[in-house]
Structures are given as structure tokens and as C-alpha cells.
Amino acid sequence: MNLEEIKSTLEAAIPGCSPQIVTNGSPSGQHSLLLDREHAFVAAMFLRDDPTLCLDYCSNVTGLDWLDTETSEKVKVTQLVDGVEKEVDEVRKTRTPGYLEAVYHLYSMQKKHGPLVVRLRTENRTDSVHLPSFTPIWRSAEFQEREVFDLFGIIFDGHPDLRRILMWDEFEDHPMRKDYVEPDDYEYEPTPHDAVLKKALEHRNRISTPDGQGA
Amino acid sequence: MSTSMEASTPAAHQGFADATMIDHESDLLQISLGPHHPSTHGVFRMDVVLDGERVVKLKPVFGYLHRNHEKIAESTTYLASIPYTDRLDYMCSLSNNWAYALSVEKLAGLQVPERAEYIRVIAAELTRLQNHASTIGFLMQEMGASGTPLMYAFREREKILDLFEALTGSRMMCNYMRFGGCRVDLPAGWLDQARKTVDEYPRFLDEFESLLASNEILLARTQGVGVLPPKLAIQGGVTGPILRASGVNYDIRKVDRYGIYERFDFKVPLGEHGDVYDRYMIRMLEMRESLKILDQALHQITPGPIIDPKAKIRGFRPKPGEAYGRIESPKGELGFYLISDGTPNPYRYRVRPPSLINLTVLEDMCLGSSLADTVVIFGTIDIVLGEVDR
Amino acid sequence: MDQQLKIELSQQGIFATTMEELYNWGRKNSVWPLTFGLACCAIEMIATTMARYDLARFGAEVFRPSPRQADLMIVAGTVTKKMAPQVVRLYNQMPEPKYVIAMGACAISGGPFKQGYSVLKGIDRYIPVDVHIPGCPPRPEALIDAFITLQKKIDAQALTGEARPRHLRDDTPSEFPVPTYGAHDLQPAKNPTLWHITTNATSPKPLPTGTDESGRD
């Protein structure tokens, strides 16, 4: 069953469900199915239980962070310049708000096919973003969703035990987000290069040490 | 030195603050096993609640070896991540290399020359041999056979590591495979040496098996212990020898037929009971099947190029897109999920760690068994912390 | 004692020694390491104790799982920030005299995982280290070499006088503060009495201001 057929099956089986196909430009050809948040849980249940699909094995769960993007395009606009109508280039900026994504790779152990890539998107990338948890459907998502919660900060509703998994409980940040700022411990870099050199220089500029020991 | 810093600390680490506490109301004993414990394969920790000697609750605690592998990979080039993959599952660096190279090849659409495919199969199967041998050695250690079986296993492992060192320059961290092939060709005489090692290996297996297979203590400690039903195994996303010990026929070498595995004649051993004994036995049998593959590969391999001439190792910028590639590593399904945004660094780099996901069902397997058995059950899952926590 | 005289006496069948020598000879040949593997280096540490490399030849085959019975902590692998308090606590639990070998690049400085949010940049920020072994991972031979270096160090320790080691003094600590988990990092990020920047030149080497991008990608 190809992605188009899965999409129409889902639409037919679950009223109101509107999955979208997200195309993938790489030669791998692994296109994915974007599920809407309201129907995601029911749709996932259907994907597992449908006898022809039978995606009984959820292999990989991961988070993605897409920052706010700003695209600018040049548009020709006619304007009155000194009383004369002229075509003027204007730069129009479109701001796309960022979002977080959870990606699931589903396989079928029984039918030995796959992967079906399922994506869920959050509304924005604030600190309280919610997605439905798939752990009640596939238990293999349990630790991986905890990991996504820990490192990306997506809250999975319905997860039985949503705690930090890799970092300690007192930790407050979500380090895999693209705008995470790591602690500044670049006081001693004997052989800095590339990114480390940049950070070491930043550190030295920030902390002025009279004896020059701060570098 | 004043210890005021420690004294003023609140119960910063719950597990340690009340590591051993007896709840007099319920007679349950809560203990924290690890992260420093001789049988947790490194820095794994489990919080166990015991009723007498029986486990009533078991929660694994991770993160003591979280080395921000994924974050580092996203701030470096595709090529520079290969040495980091070595350090994921540090017993099987060549398998990890392959999984990563395979995913990048999927992402960029690269072809691998035949000789390189053969070298990859040989390297991966040798890795499987040494991994399974040491796993069984460690398992016996945890059953109380302190030292001897592990010594035997490591004796054989050293012979395979010699081959790795001759091929790649390093015993453990091989950093050998590249996108579209391998880094260097086989050195002169390597194939003969490998054939010799492979031919001698069954003797070790026979010896090992004759010492262990019918050992009374081993049977008593393993049969019927830690049973994993196939349904639960699939539901928990378990892969690798543990899944097959439960009788589910799912080997990615057969399912995906990646590389050139369809050319080789080998069987997938399956267990019946899904207990500790089956998981031990599956690994013994898989080693014999690996030897079959190795024997065929070492005789079929022909000279040729070892890397796709189109593959650009430096300045490598795949087209925007994403790919998920996976292989059957000795631990289970090892996958890499990569997203390219057209820059030299991956936008997202994700490792699907078999060791972590296989631990999902640890609690289910251990409930009701004794604490000593828990250690044995845990040993058969065969985890490597570098991969669990990344 | 005069070495020449000692050799001469030993040829006569008379064995002369000092208390210090005897004491250190006994200590250096029965160093019991802690069974303490953190990451990849632990596998090489295990390999060192196995048949081919046989650490037992140096009197150190008795790995003790309990810190109370151990003399030597081999920090074999990456110390993460989550693990660092436990490492310090284990060190504090070891009785004096105790020694530390930092095995591998990660234990020395964070190694390949240095850049990032969760790896400690060297265990010597919290506990004193006697021998550092570079390598990723160091080969078993390197661990044996570190071991011999440690034995030499033990052998050279004086029992009396100002130069006597820590375990014979009252004014030096044998326990170090355990860091705690903070909201963004460990608190404190280092032990300032123990760790300082080791630039031995009169002025620290200036950081290069730019990188040569040619040939890199």
C-alpha cells in the first residue's frame, strides 16, 4: 500500500482525519504522513490494527526542532515616485513560525514491510507544547518519547511515566533545541579550533582577567 | 577542606539520598542498583523495589553516560561523525560505521562497489562474533562463573581485534567505513589471516559449548527465567537476538536484504521459550551462522575498487531531504535518521539505539524473579551504555 | 643507604633495606583497583586484566567492587555531568592511601565529547589525578605503562619529612566536596582549590584569532 492509499484509507476510516503527505527530496524516497493532533491517536491505532497495514512495530521515535524562519523575496511594485509611476523592487518578508515535530518510523514485523514515517507537529515552540503520546499503542515509544520530552520539551499527553530520562531531574533546559545555550565552561582550551575557538574567544571577551589567566 | 558544600546540599539526588530505605509499613525494600555496580555493564542504574527476595518494581534510570552525541553530530560534518559512531556501541564499532554509512548512502543516493560490500559483511560478521562471545562471557560472570568463561571469550576476541587492527589501525575504534565504500583496502595477507581465524573459531565454540551447554548450574539459573512472550517483545520494540529467542522471525539481514546479504546462505536461529537459556543459545547459534557467512564471503571476495568514485568525502553536501537507514547490529536494529538541509552538517542526526529500546521490557521480564536472576536477565539483554545513553 | 654497599652486601647474602623501601615495596605490588568502568575505556581495562595482557603480573588483578576495599580508581571513560557526583562520592569512600588514574581522553579533558552540554571536561576538576593516560581508548599496554608509572610514584614516596604524601599528613584533605545538580550545570562547575588553569609559561599562549579555512570542510 503506498502513501496515497494509506492517506485515503485513513480519511475514509476516521471521520475528520486529514493526513497530509510530506514529500522528501532525498533519493531515499521516504515520504512521510503528517497527522493532525486531534485524530493522531485514533489514526495511529488504526495503522497498527488494520489487517493489511499491520504496523505492529514502532522502531524509531525522534523529535525535531524547526526554528522560526524568515524568507525574503523581491517583488516588483508600482509606486508613485516624484509624481511618476515607476516599478520599484520591494523586499517582502514572510515569517514562518517555528514548530516542533515528533517523527515515528513504523514497520510491520508480521508483514515485514515498512517504514511508514508518521509526523506530528506542535503549534509553536514554546515551553508547553503538547502532542498525543503513542506509548499506549506501541510500548517501544516509552523511553524514546521520554527522551524527546527531555531533550526537546514536547509534552506527550497520555504517556504513563513522563520524566526526564537522560538529564537529571533538576535540569531546566531542552538541550537538543536549536536555540539552546550551553553552559560557558570554555575557560581552558589548550588547542581550540573552529567552533571551540569561537566560544573560547567569546569567553575571554566576556571575562576580563587582569592576569590573563582567563583564556 | 570543608565539606559544607555537601552538607548544605538538599536531597539533590533522590535515588542516592534514600538509596536503601526500609518501609516498615509494607516490608518492601527499595534499593538503587548502580550506577556503580559490578554487574550493570557500566553506569546503568535500576531502582528496584523488593518484597523479600522478589522484584515487585523495577525502573531503569539512564543518562549516566549521555555524551551529547547527537548534538555534536549536528554541529559537525557528516564525515566527522563517523569516529563518534564508533563510540556508540563500543564493542561493535564496525557495525555502527556501517549503519551510519548506509543511512548517508540512502540520503545521498550513493552506490557501494562490490568489494567494499564484501569487506563490510566480513567486518560486521567478525564484529558479531566477538560481541556475542564477550556477551556470553559477561553473562557467565554474572551467574557467578567469575573469570574463566570471560577469559576464554576475550582470548578469542583478541584474535578478532588483531584482524581489526591490521585492517583499520585500531583495536576498538575502527573508523573504517566511508559513504560509498571503505577507507582503505585489505592489507596483504589479511584474508589468509581472517580465514585462519574463522576456521579456528568453531573449535572455541565447541569447547565453550561443551563446558557450558549442559552445566547444571547454568541450566538451573537460565531455563524458565525471564521469559519474554513474543507479543510483548514486538509491542516493546525489542530487536536482535532477544526477539528471535522469543520465536519472532525478524532479522533485518533477511528482511531488508541490505548490502549483499541475499547472496549468502545462512539461517536465522529462533528460540521457543524466550527465556534466558534461549537468549544464550541463540547467540551461540548465531555465531555459527556468522561463521558460515564469513566462510562464503572470504572465498567469494574479488579484487576491485573499494569506494564509489562519485562519493565526495570532503565537502560532502547531500541534497535537502531525510533518510532512515538500519542494519542488524549484534544488539538489534541499529538505525540512523538523518535530515539534510543542504549544508555540510546534518540538520538532524538521530541514532535509534537497540540497547535502549530493548530495555523497555526489562521490568516485565524481571517482575517476580529474584534479585540475583534480575542481574542475569539484564545480562542477556546485552546492552552497551554508550549506545543506551549516547 | 649507599647503593654500592647494598649491592655488595646482597652478593654476600645479606639483604639490607629501609623501612620506607619495604613499606612502599609492599604497597606498590598490591594495588587493588576499583571495578569501575564508565565507558569505552572500561572494555580495554577489562582486556588488560585478561589472558593476553595479564595485569596480575603487576599485583593488581584483584578488582574490588567496593570502594572501601580499593586503593586505586581507574577512571575509565567519559565522566558525564550526571555521573560526576557519583565518581567524587566513590573517591571519598575509598580509604587512604588512594590513587587515581585518568584513563583516556575523556577522563582527562572530555575528549571527543568535550564540546557539549553533558560531559565533564576532565575528572581533575573534582578529584586529584595521579597518572593521566592519553588515547581513545588507550591500548592495554598504555594502561600497564600508567600502572608502572604509578608504582614508581608509590615507590618514591617518603614516609617522613615535608614531602610525605597526603595520607600521612593531617593538613591535607582526603575527601572532596561532591558537586550537586543545578538547573543548567553542575554546582559548582569545578573545585577551585584543586583545579586551576595549567599554563606554565609566564604568559598564557594567546588564542589564535582566526582559523585557516583552506582544506577544511
Side-chain angles (χ1 to χ4, degrees):
Chain A
M1 207 188 278
N2 65 26
L3 215 53
E4 287 288 342
E5 287 165 0
I6 296 174
K7 180 174 180 275
S8 44
T9 321
L10 272 178
E11 277 166 350
I14 303 157
C17 181
S18 57
Q20 293 167 35
I21 291 175
V22 181
T23 49
N24 173 7
S26 118
S28 71
Q30 291 169 344
H31 307 294
S32 46
L33 205 61
L34 176 70
L35 298 180
D36 55 316
R37 284 189 293 279
E38 292 80 61
H39 302 93
F41 189 83
V42 192
M45 192 80 101
F46 177 82
L47 291 176
R48 185 191 70 179
D49 294 339
D50 185 66
T52 49
L53 280 166
C54 194
L55 296 160
D56 51 5
Y57 165 44
C58 172
S59 164
N60 180 37
V61 183
T62 185
L64 288 176
D65 182 13
W66 300 98
L67 290 171
D68 302 351
T69 47
E70 212 173 54
T71 46
S72 48
E73 49 176 349
K74 277 188 180 172
V75 191
K76 291 223 185 263
V77 191
T78 41
Q79 265 184 353
L80 271 176
V81 182
D82 302 331
V84 190
E85 267 200 6
K86 260 190 180 175
E87 275 207 338
V88 178
D89 284 347
E90 196 186 85
V91 181
R92 245 184 232 169
K93 283 183 178 166
T94 28
R95 198 176 163 76
T96 325
Y99 51 87
L100 298 165
E101 240 177 0
V103 183
Y104 296 78
H105 285 79
L106 310 177
Y107 285 88
S108 172
M109 275 199 187
Q110 205 180 330
K111 307 251 173 191
K112 299 203 169 36
H113 58 71
L116 173 70
V117 191
V118 170
R119 314 177 94 88
L120 298 176
R121 270 180 202 169
T122 64
E123 255 172 285
N124 47 42
R125 43 193 306 289
T126 56
D127 270 348
S128 76
V129 281
H130 292 256
L131 285 180
S133 167
F134 285 172
T135 304
I137 306 174
W138 295 284
R139 266 204 48 202
S140 51
E142 184 182 340
F143 292 156
Q144 304 188 67
E145 282 183 350
R146 269 177 74 185
E147 191 184 318
V148 174
F149 164 72
D150 186 354
L151 302 182
F152 288 89
I154 301 176
I155 299 160
F156 288 95
D157 298 324
H159 191 287
D161 184 20
L162 197 66
R163 290 175 291 136
R164 281 193 182 267
I165 184 168
L166 294 176
M167 303 307 287
W168 51 87
D169 291 334
E170 293 86 353
F171 198 72
E172 286 176 1
D173 305 326
H174 301 296
M176 280 304 285
R177 287 203 184 181
K178 292 280 175 187
D179 53 359
Y180 167 72
V181 184
E182 60 184 347
D184 175 32
D185 49 2
Y186 286 86
E187 66 271 29
Y188 179 55
E189 295 295 338
T191 55
H193 57 84
D194 300 351
V196 179
L197 175 66
K198 216 175 115 199
K199 285 169 184 165
L201 285 171
E202 276 170 17
H203 175 88
R204 200 165 62 169
N205 294 340
R206 195 162 15 209
I207 299 159
S208 59
T209 44
D211 56 354
Q213 290 255 307
Chain B
M1 168 69 60
S2 79
T3 47
S4 62
M5 199 157 80
E6 191 175 12
S8 66
T9 308
H13 193 339
Q14 285 299 321
F16 266 87
D18 54 16
T20 317
M21 67 155 216
I22 301 167
D23 183 353
H24 290 286
E25 293 294 305
S26 62
D27 282 343
L28 293 180
L29 181 70
Q30 190 185 341
I31 59 166
S32 165
L33 217 65
H36 165 70
H37 189 277
S39 63
T40 55
H41 293 228
V43 290
F44 179 73
R45 176 178 152 207
M46 30 193 174
D47 281 342
V48 188
V49 179
L50 293 175
D51 180 8
E53 186 65 13
R54 303 283 141 199
V55 176
V56 290
K57 197 179 160 198
L58 187 150
K59 287 286 170 213
V61 182
F62 307 95
Y64 291 99
L65 195 55
H66 178 50
R67 305 193 272 197
N68 51 69
H69 174 69
E70 291 178 6
K71 189 83 178 175
I72 291 174
E74 284 170 21
S75 60
T76 189
T77 57
Y78 285 87
L79 177 68
S81 291
I82 296 179
Y84 286 98
T85 63
D86 290 338
R87 286 156 183 82
L88 274 174
D89 172 358
Y90 35 80
M91 299 291 280
C92 325
S93 62
L94 283 162
S95 303
N96 304 345
N97 282 182
W98 193 1
Y100 178 56
L102 188 89
S103 307
V104 178
E105 281 149 15
K106 272 194 177 176
L107 182 70
L110 296 171
Q111 297 301 315
V112 183
E114 194 184 31
R115 184 176 173 83
E117 291 278 25
Y118 271 106
I119 297 176
R120 285 179 176 194
V121 168
I122 293 167
E125 294 306 321
L126 284 173
T127 304
R128 199 181 311 277
L129 284 183
Q130 58 99 1
N131 176 72
H132 283 1
S134 352
T135 302
I136 294 170
F138 282 121
L139 178 66
M140 295 305 145
Q141 179 110 337
E142 278 151 13
M143 278 182 218
S146 187
T148 315
L150 191 61
M151 291 260 184
Y152 277 57
F154 264 65
R155 185 190 65 200
E156 294 308 308
R157 181 172 179 264
E158 290 290 341
K159 290 177 192 166
I160 294 173
L161 292 194
D162 283 348
L163 289 175
F164 290 168
E165 194 177 353
L167 177 63
T168 70
S170 178
R171 283 156 52 87
M172 279 172 70
M173 305 305 177
C174 295
N175 180 15
Y176 179 62
M177 288 170 200
R178 292 290 179 267
F179 325 133
C182 298
R183 175 157 56 90
V184 285
D185 206 346
L186 302 174
W190 193 87
L191 279 176
D192 295 328
Q193 184 66 31
R195 276 183 209 123
K196 190 164 162 273
T197 308
V198 168
D199 288 345
E200 284 171 0
Y201 205 83
R203 263 184 61 197
F204 155 70
L205 283 182
D206 295 340
E207 184 189 27
F208 215 40
E209 217 158 336
S210 68
L211 288 172
L212 296 174
S214 55
N215 182 303
E216 213 171 302
I217 302 172
L218 184 116
L219 296 180
R221 289 295 303 276
T222 57
Q223 287 189 336
V225 174
V227 176
L228 177 67
K231 258 197 171 160
L232 180 66
I234 296 174
Q235 171 75 353
V238 171
T239 44
I242 317 166
L243 177 73
R244 294 190 286 276
S246 293
V248 181
N249 186 359
Y250 196 76
D251 186 322
I252 297 165
R253 289 175 294 178
K254 291 276 189 194
V255 175
D256 278 13
R257 300 179 164 269
Y258 65 93
I260 46 165
Y261 271 113
E262 76 270 8
R263 294 191 196 177
F264 303 116
D265 172 35
F266 68 102
K267 291 193 181 72
V268 178
L270 294 178
E272 271 177 32
H273 309 95
D275 56 2
V276 169
Y277 185 78
D278 277 12
R279 293 198 277 276
Y280 148 72
M281 215 52 209
I282 287 284
R283 294 203 167 91
M284 292 302 274
L285 295 171
E286 274 195 6
M287 280 197 269
R288 294 199 187 269
E289 295 302 319
S290 285
L291 287 171
K292 270 196 218 164
I293 300 175
L294 277 168
D295 191 49
Q296 296 166 52
L298 286 167
H299 286 94
Q300 287 172 15
I301 186 168
T302 49
I306 56 153
I307 195 152
D308 184 1
K310 275 187 288 177
K312 211 174 153 201
I313 297 298
R314 287 188 185 274
F316 178 71
R317 281 182 182 79
K319 274 192 287 177
E322 60 175 59
Y324 178 72
R326 56 176 196 163
I327 67 157
E328 180 75 30
S329 92
K331 308 274 194 291
E333 174 188 330
L334 176 64
F336 281 83
Y337 176 57
L338 300 167
I339 297 184
S340 165
D341 59 352
T343 56
N345 301 351
Y347 186 80
R348 179 81 177 104
Y349 171 103
R350 151 85 181 164
V351 187
R352 190 259 184 217
S355 297
L356 171 72
I357 296 156
N358 287 354
L359 284 172
T360 311
V361 292
L362 176 66
E363 187 179 13
D364 304 68
M365 285 197 273
C366 292
L367 286 184
S369 59
S370 69
L371 187 63
D373 282 345
T374 301
V375 170
V376 175
I377 295 166
F378 176 72
T380 53
I381 298 183
D382 184 17
I383 64 157
V384 164
L385 259 296
E387 191 177 71
V388 172
D389 293 338
R390 286 150 288 134
Chain C
M1 189 175 185
D2 181 34
Q3 282 297 315
Q4 201 56 44
L5 180 66
K6 222 171 116 176
I7 295 166
E8 236 166 74
L9 281 173
S10 74
Q11 282 164 351
Q12 305 295 320
I14 302 165
F15 178 62
T17 186
T18 59
M19 189 62 202
E20 192 175 285
E21 258 176 57
L22 195 66
Y23 175 73
N24 284 342
W25 172 81
R27 285 200 304 136
K28 78 170 186 187
N29 287 310
S30 70
V31 178
W32 287 6
L34 181 65
T35 315
F36 184 53
L38 290 173
C40 331
C41 290
I43 305 295
E44 286 296 63
M45 185 175 80
I46 295 166
T48 315
T49 65
M50 291 296 154
R52 185 184 277 191
Y53 297 100
D54 197 11
L55 195 62
R57 292 175 293 159
F58 304 92
E61 77 279 22
V62 196
F63 275 73
R64 306 312 298 183
S66 165
R68 302 285 184 205
Q69 303 166 345
D71 308 312
L72 167 68
M73 176 189 255
I74 303 176
V75 184
T78 316
V79 186
T80 60
K81 286 176 181 168
K82 195 168 180 177
M83 191 62 196
Q86 276 72 267
V87 177
V88 181
R89 191 168 276 123
L90 283 169
Y91 179 80
N92 288 348
Q93 287 171 350
M94 283 164 62
E96 288 277 12
K98 52 188 170 185
Y99 302 93
V100 176
I101 291 179
M103 183 182 184
C106 294
I108 297 174
S109 71
F113 300 98
K114 185 173 185 172
Q115 344 164 10
Y117 53 91
S118 69
V119 173
L120 185 71
K121 294 182 171 181
I123 190 59
D124 50 5
R125 291 182 180 225
Y126 292 119
I127 57 175
V129 176
D130 296 281
V131 186
H132 295 86
I133 329 171
C136 189
R139 294 176 57 92
E141 290 94 329
L143 181 59
I144 292 174
D145 181 60
F147 208 81
I148 295 170
T149 311
L150 182 71
Q151 286 187 329
K152 283 182 187 155
K153 180 174 179 168
I154 296 173
D155 208 22
Q157 282 181 336
L159 285 189
T160 50
E162 261 315 292
R164 65 190 193 278
R166 197 178 61 210
H167 68 274
L168 297 173
R169 309 174 78 104
D170 294 333
D171 56 344
T172 43
S174 67
E175 291 191 7
F176 292 93
V178 180
T180 55
Y181 296 132
H184 308 285
D185 199 356
L186 283 180
Q187 294 297 331
K190 58 180 173 282
N191 185 345
T193 58
L194 207 57
W195 187 82
H196 18 80
I197 297 156
T198 49
T199 34
N200 48 9
T202 45
S203 64
K205 210 173 108 194
L207 290 170
T209 44
T211 39
D212 179 19
E213 287 294 325
S214 60
R216 294 195 70 92
D217 202 329

